[in-house]
Amino acid sequence: MLTLRTTFDLQKDVVSHISTKDDTARRIKAEADARFLNVEKDGSVLYSWKGSTGNTRIGKYDPSTKQNKLLYTFDKEVFVSSCSVNKEETLLAVSLSRCAKTQDGLQPISKCRTLLIEIHPQNNIKVLKAVDCRIRVQFLDPETEKKNVRESHLLLFAEDGYIEQFHIFLVKQEGYRVVIQNAERLVKDRVAEEFSWVQWDVEAQRLFYLASGEKSMLKCVQFYPDCNFETLFELPLELATSLFTSVRFTNLGYDHYNAEELEDEGMKLMVFTSRTGSMCVCYSHPVQVNEDFAYTIAFVHRGYRKTFCVSLQGAPAPRARDLLFLSLDYYIVVYLPGHFLHFINSRQQDVPCHSLFLSGADARLGQLGPGSVVLTLPDTKLLDVRSGMVYRAEISHTAMLDFLCRSRLDSQRLASLHCMLVYMSPDPEVELRIIDWICDDVMALENFDQIQEFILASLYRMVYQQSLSLDRVLPYSSVLERKPRHFKGYWEELQWNMEKMKYFEAVPNPRYRTSLIQADWSRLLAEMNSEEKKHANNFRHIEENTKKVLSMVDTWRLDKKVVPLFQEEDQQQRALIGLMVDKLREHLNRHLPRLGKKKIDVLVVNYVAKLLELLRHMLESVWLKYQLGPHVLSFKQKGGRAEWAVFHVMSRILEAMKGLCLPLPPGYHTLLSVLGVRCLPRHTFLQYVDHGLLQLTEPFVSRLMTDLDNSDDNEKLKFSIMKRLPESMEQKLFQLWDHPISSACISRKYVQGLLERQAKTKGSVFVERSTSGLQPEFLPLTYLTKILSNIESQVLNPFEEQENVDARFVEDTALKQTLILLGLEEK
């Protein structure tokens, strides 16, 4: 599932370079003995090798330029256990192990000397330490705007349990010579003492160490650009005392001469931080025979800790040194070769279903095997010590897609879907594959809705990178519905996150739930359907929200209009869009006022616009998948398998959005109803309408009335649809249907309107009966005709917007209807 991309290959990037520079070394390539030493902040790799004359050399590989540079040459063979170079490459710090075997084959006697070497000129060396314990060295590399830095600062880590910082001031002589000023009296500070484990964070220039004592206390020291330092916090950990019999160094290079002597003590500890203000402390528990393998992840930024236990099913107890912790920022990866690969969501760790646990053939980490000696490096990199390879770990899109399609557990499908939609960068190909998966398995799963998850996770991806606090107030998963700024530095961000955690824990339900809009939406619908317009100002405000959103949507992908959406008014969806903007803006202003009203307004409008764009993108993908064209909008032929498949997907999208009370793009209901007429039997279509699954929009009914002829079946369908329309829409659409039924309805409405007007006027209209023999003797019809003629002569425009309606037309229609009712004439 994780792939490893090579960023450094000792054999290819270093040994091949050595061979080309030294003819003798080319002949004895196997004896080059190149060894990885350390990685500096800029990613450059320090290494050592034995030259052609048997001396030891130290070089540097720059990954940005892919160039090697010789830093220093010793005049004899030495054993380099630790090494670091300052940023200006004027000073080199080296720890040497003195290994000399006696002739009788006794164990080697190991002592350590720590040297400070001036690179320009060479061979000016100062001995910093000469002790019988291991020493690690590391130059500080603070971010500074100074161009000519005349001082360097070196950290020295001693196995005896103390850390010192040396302040080294430099002077420039003869225009090019950089030498140490007052080399005999270097200033130094004691940073820490009495510790059993230490980890250096080269990226952020901070160190963590485990203080020795009755309680396991994790302490953090931050180094600043002026190279002052401060102990920022102490974090108690529930660890057994005296965990390590010797000091453990993490992220301080690799000691090839002493690592094999260290015993595996059944525990591993790592700390991971990120620029977003998160901090995770990962540690394994002592391995016991015939017991579950256990490890704990403490999410410091959330005030939350979780311990995991994995049954190894009778397998031999693994070594803790084989366990690998890795940070991908969004995930903490725990890998035990040959057993499991665990992706733990560090953002939403309170919902375990968004984490992914893999075993068997899926639990692989690239080409690394159980026999590899692997170190974790900053920036999601790994070092395979034996091969000298540095890799960058990345989640494989292909493997994750394959896993999504073949998984049978809902938890695995949800976790892999969330990983691809949120963690991985937006990839059009991946999105298309996911939409294909949704189309092929469109029925809602037992524990989550794929369409809802696709929409919410995609929207979450847009916002979580802007501010970590946003992911506490916006939905990121459909599971939540089923389960009733920029700062100057890392520490400010971490403190802000912890303060927000206290706030969110005190406030009930801080996360916005889409279902909360349901009550307001029901009231708004009732107002829209009411003939009384009492809340014109409120409607105007909501419409302004909608215009902002739709103006954003209309600017996206104008060159690709595959699906005819956003081409009609659709007052209901416009109202829901505006209402969602209102409620979401109100929610963010209540819980995150520090973001500011302007930023929140932009976030909310973009969020709702992205929602509509995602829905259009889904529909476009589905239409292209099934190769639908403009013929879909015609009622003159039945839909085939492709139309039926699209209708099914669109129905599921409608169901998912209604379940979350989220708006749909204007025109969605019209398109779905058109497909419904083409794909469903007529009685089934009407049942869908009666149950609210399909809506009879004005554009849909207009197209239906004009496109379908007046055959018996079509006449029944049209009449059934007209009877289900609201009265306001019915009168307008009857004008489009050339049929006696529509003529009768128009006449009745016309007469009703005239009589209502007459009743409101003063006085009465008395019409005397004419004695002319030419008048028809059907008295009710004669009387009605004379009343209408009299009223018609008194009104300037009696028909308003109804065209081609006059008294003669009404008379003929009424007479025809009367004859039909009396059985004297067929319809």
Side-chain angles (χ1 to χ4, degrees):
M1 199 66 68
L2 275 179
T3 60
L4 300 180
R5 179 168 57 84
T6 303
T7 61
F8 173 75
D9 184 340
L10 190 65
Q11 294 296 317
K12 178 181 176 182
D13 297 325
V14 172
V15 174
S16 60
H17 169 76
I18 295 173
S19 300
T20 59
K21 294 295 182 180
D22 192 331
D23 293 338
T24 307
R26 186 185 301 115
R27 293 192 300 269
I28 55 173
K29 183 176 180 180
E31 298 179 10
D33 195 25
R35 294 176 182 266
F36 167 91
L37 295 176
N38 199 7
V39 176
E40 298 290 359
K41 182 178 179 180
D42 62 358
S44 58
V45 178
L46 301 182
Y47 56 89
S48 66
W49 80 96
K50 185 163 63 174
S52 58
T53 59
N55 56 359
T56 298
R57 301 177 180 182
I58 295 178
K60 172 184 174 181
Y61 173 78
D62 187 341
S64 60
T65 62
K66 301 187 182 303
Q67 299 294 319
N68 287 274
K69 181 178 182 180
L70 176 65
L71 295 180
Y72 190 77
T73 301
F74 290 92
D75 56 6
K76 61 181 179 179
E77 181 181 8
V78 296
F79 305 97
V80 183
S81 60
S82 181
C83 180
S84 183
V85 65
N86 66 348
K87 187 175 182 179
E88 295 75 28
E89 296 184 4
T90 56
L91 295 176
L92 185 69
V94 181
S95 286
L96 304 178
S97 294
R98 293 192 295 178
C99 300
K101 291 186 178 181
T102 59
Q103 294 182 355
D104 57 0
L106 296 178
Q107 293 294 323
I109 300 174
S110 299
K111 291 186 178 181
C112 179
R113 283 195 312 154
T114 303
L115 308 177
L116 183 61
I117 304 172
E118 295 174 352
I119 298 179
H120 301 292
Q122 291 189 8
N123 298 326
N124 194 0
I125 301 175
K126 175 178 175 55
V127 178
L128 294 179
K129 293 286 181 180
V131 293
D132 289 335
C133 68
R134 294 179 297 151
I135 297 288
R136 298 289 178 93
V137 290
Q138 179 63 56
F139 274 105
L140 294 179
D141 188 1
E143 294 183 1
T144 178
E145 297 180 355
K146 297 180 181 179
K147 295 183 179 180
N148 297 319
V149 179
R150 295 299 177 86
E151 60 186 73
S152 290
H153 305 269
L154 175 69
L155 294 180
L156 187 146
F157 304 81
E159 188 181 19
D160 283 350
Y162 63 88
I163 303 172
E164 293 178 333
Q165 178 182 201
F166 286 85
H167 304 282
I168 308 161
F169 298 93
L170 305 172
V171 293
K172 201 169 186 179
Q173 298 177 350
E174 300 176 6
Y176 72 96
R177 293 166 54 91
V178 179
V179 298
I180 301 173
Q181 185 179 15
N182 298 326
E184 300 302 322
R185 295 192 303 273
L186 294 180
V187 179
K188 65 180 178 180
D189 301 318
R190 183 63 63 99
V191 177
E193 53 190 353
E194 295 185 359
F195 63 90
S196 58
W197 169 93
V198 63
Q199 174 181 318
W200 173 244
D201 186 343
V202 65
E203 188 70 27
Q205 298 289 287
R206 68 176 70 105
L207 65 85
F208 301 92
Y209 67 94
L210 199 61
S212 304
E214 295 182 0
K215 293 184 179 180
S216 297
M217 188 70 69
L218 180 69
K219 297 185 178 183
C220 176
V221 178
Q222 177 70 62
F223 293 88
Y224 298 107
D226 59 2
C227 294
N228 289 324
F229 61 90
E230 177 185 9
T231 300
L232 288 176
F233 70 84
E234 298 179 351
L235 179 68
L237 299 178
E238 295 182 0
L239 303 175
T241 57
S242 303
L243 286 173
F244 304 107
T245 57
S246 59
V247 171
R248 300 302 168 118
F249 301 104
T250 303
N251 288 352
L252 286 166
Y254 186 73
D255 187 348
H256 294 266
Y257 303 100
N258 296 295
E260 297 300 328
E261 299 176 5
L262 298 176
E263 295 181 2
D264 186 86
E265 299 181 69
M267 183 189 171
K268 198 163 197 175
L269 174 64
M270 288 286 294
V271 179
F272 297 108
T273 62
S274 73
R275 292 188 178 93
T276 57
S278 65
M279 176 183 291
C280 297
V281 181
C282 314
Y283 56 92
S284 62
H285 296 240
V287 180
Q288 304 292 336
V289 180
N290 298 325
E291 290 187 5
D292 292 346
F293 186 82
Y295 49 96
T296 296
I297 312 296
F299 304 93
V300 180
H301 58 288
R302 297 292 196 199
Y304 176 89
R305 179 180 59 197
K306 177 69 175 175
T307 298
F308 302 89
C309 296
V310 181
S311 175
L312 301 182
Q313 299 178 348
R319 299 180 304 174
R321 68 173 60 179
D322 294 332
L323 181 68
L324 183 65
F325 291 116
L326 177 66
S327 173
L328 299 179
D329 188 17
Y330 197 80
Y331 290 99
I332 296 296
V333 179
V334 186
Y335 174 60
L336 187 61
H339 295 284
F340 65 85
L341 179 63
H342 194 182
F343 294 83
I344 302 171
N345 194 315
S346 62
R347 288 274 189 161
Q348 308 296 344
Q349 73 290 333
D350 52 331
V351 185
C353 58
H354 287 91
S355 298
L356 188 61
F357 185 88
L358 303 172
S359 59
D362 294 317
R364 295 191 302 270
L365 185 55
Q367 50 268 54
L368 298 180
S372 301
V373 178
V374 182
L375 298 181
T376 303
L377 301 178
D379 196 23
T380 69
K381 291 181 181 178
L382 299 172
L383 165 67
D384 188 342
V385 174
R386 292 181 178 175
S387 66
M389 306 276 282
V390 176
Y391 305 98
R392 184 186 299 278
E394 299 171 341
I395 298 178
S396 169
H397 290 74
T398 304
M400 193 62 74
L401 276 168
D402 176 68
F403 184 78
L404 171 69
C405 296
R406 59 182 170 84
S407 295
R408 290 296 174 262
L409 295 177
D410 279 4
S411 59
Q412 291 181 334
R413 286 187 278 201
L414 179 59
S416 55
L417 180 63
H418 189 87
C419 175
M420 287 185 290
L421 292 175
V422 179
Y423 169 74
M424 297 182 180
S425 59
D427 187 332
E429 183 63 28
V430 172
E431 283 193 347
L432 286 176
R433 290 284 302 277
I434 292 174
I435 293 172
D436 282 346
W437 172 73
I438 293 174
C439 294
D440 295 338
D441 189 17
V442 77
M443 295 305 295
L445 303 178
E446 181 178 356
N447 295 309
F448 74 98
D449 186 301
Q450 310 101 298
I451 297 175
Q452 291 179 348
E453 191 69 19
F454 177 82
I455 295 297
L456 293 179
S458 299
L459 290 172
Y460 173 74
R461 179 186 63 212
M462 180 188 74
V463 298
Y464 91 89
Q465 295 173 336
Q466 301 179 31
S467 174
L468 186 64
S469 53
L470 282 175
D471 66 11
R472 300 294 297 174
V473 295
L474 292 176
Y476 63 91
S477 171
S478 59
V479 175
L480 296 174
E481 295 294 331
R482 296 168 179 256
K483 181 186 175 183
R485 108 214 131 134
H486 179 71
F487 295 89
K488 293 182 179 179
Y490 169 80
W491 298 112
E492 290 87 347
E493 188 75 32
L494 177 62
Q495 183 179 3
W496 165 245
N497 291 333
M498 297 177 74
E499 289 175 358
K500 295 306 295 182
M501 274 302 303
K502 294 177 182 178
Y503 169 78
F504 290 135
E505 288 174 356
V507 175
N509 301 321
R511 191 178 301 282
Y512 178 81
R513 297 179 185 273
T514 56
S515 56
L516 297 178
I517 202 175
Q518 186 64 60
D520 294 287
W521 173 232
S522 299
R523 285 195 296 269
L524 185 59
L525 267 182
E527 293 175 11
M528 292 178 64
N529 294 329
S530 173
E531 295 183 359
E532 299 181 5
K533 302 297 182 182
K534 297 181 180 179
H535 306 283
N537 291 334
N538 187 35
F539 282 122
R540 189 157 44 246
H541 172 65
I542 289 176
E543 179 62 22
E544 288 300 317
N545 292 337
T546 304
K547 288 179 180 178
K548 290 181 181 179
V549 173
L550 295 183
S551 67
M552 292 289 297
V553 175
D554 289 342
T555 61
W556 292 340
R557 302 178 67 179
L558 291 175
D559 59 329
K560 190 175 182 182
K561 295 261 187 177
V562 178
V563 185
L565 297 176
F566 302 102
Q567 297 179 8
E568 63 179 75
E569 285 297 315
D570 201 341
Q571 292 302 323
Q572 281 195 8
Q573 293 308 307
R574 292 179 70 94
L576 184 53
I577 291 169
L579 182 62
M580 182 179 177
V581 171
D582 240 16
K583 293 301 177 183
L584 190 54
R585 182 195 293 125
E586 177 185 319
H587 182 80
L588 294 185
N589 279 323
R590 181 168 62 252
H591 292 295
L592 295 174
R594 184 180 292 191
L595 293 178
K597 292 185 177 181
K598 289 185 177 180
K599 183 175 181 180
I600 287 176
D601 192 59
V602 172
L603 281 171
V604 168
V605 170
N606 287 340
Y607 186 87
V608 181
K610 181 62 177 175
L611 165 65
L612 300 178
E613 175 64 17
L614 278 170
L615 291 169
R616 180 167 72 178
H617 175 57
M618 284 189 70
L619 285 188
E620 287 176 347
S621 302
V622 173
W623 277 48
L624 291 173
K625 174 183 175 67
Y626 292 101
Q627 299 180 346
L628 298 188
H631 67 279
V632 173
L633 301 177
S634 173
F635 293 99
K636 296 182 180 179
Q637 56 184 354
K638 285 291 183 181
R641 295 179 61 184
E643 286 85 350
W644 170 254
V646 174
F647 174 75
H648 188 47
V649 173
M650 290 186 66
S651 298
R652 281 286 296 111
I653 293 175
L654 173 64
E655 181 184 354
M657 294 300 99
K658 289 182 74 173
L660 295 174
C661 201
L662 292 176
L664 290 161
Y668 189 95
H669 285 288
T670 296
L671 188 59
L672 183 59
S673 297
V674 170
L675 288 172
V677 170
R678 288 172 56 90
C679 298
L680 297 173
R682 297 296 167 83
H683 66 280
T684 306
F685 170 81
L686 295 174
Q687 286 182 341
Y688 273 50
V689 173
D690 293 337
H691 286 84
L693 301 176
L694 295 176
Q695 288 188 15
L696 299 176
T697 64
E698 184 175 325
F700 164 74
V701 180
S702 300
R703 182 180 291 272
L704 184 81
M705 292 298 173
T706 55
D707 284 8
L708 289 182
D709 59 25
N710 288 330
S711 65
D712 290 343
D713 287 342
N714 291 341
E715 184 181 287
K716 291 179 182 178
L717 175 63
K718 290 181 179 180
F719 184 71
S720 300
I721 288 176
M722 297 302 287
K723 296 299 290 182
R724 288 168 167 80
L725 293 178
E727 186 175 355
S728 58
M729 190 188 300
E730 180 186 62
Q731 295 304 314
K732 184 176 181 180
L733 294 175
F734 265 139
Q735 304 287 335
L736 304 175
W737 189 16
D738 184 14
H739 190 274
I741 291 179
S742 63
S743 300
C745 290
I746 293 171
S747 300
R748 283 197 299 270
K749 184 64 178 177
Y750 169 73
V751 171
Q752 179 184 354
L754 288 179
L755 292 178
E756 287 175 352
R757 288 185 184 180
Q758 177 64 20
K760 293 179 182 179
T761 59
K762 294 181 179 181
S764 302
V765 178
F766 296 95
V767 182
E768 295 183 0
R769 180 179 173 185
S770 174
T771 58
S772 172
L774 299 177
Q775 292 287 342
E777 293 302 319
F778 186 61
L779 297 181
L781 180 60
T782 302
Y783 184 70
L784 175 61
T785 303
K786 289 195 173 187
I787 289 179
L788 295 179
S789 298
N790 191 22
I791 295 174
E792 216 173 15
S793 64
Q794 301 174 29
V795 179
L796 180 63
N797 184 15
F799 310 116
E800 295 181 343
E801 297 179 358
Q802 301 182 28
E803 299 178 357
N804 301 323
V805 179
D806 54 25
R808 184 64 182 174
F809 168 76
V810 175
E811 178 183 350
D812 292 342
T813 302
L815 179 59
K816 184 174 181 65
Q817 294 296 318
T818 302
L819 293 174
I820 292 174
L821 291 174
L822 294 175
L824 301 177
E825 184 175 324
E826 294 183 358
K827 187 175 78 169

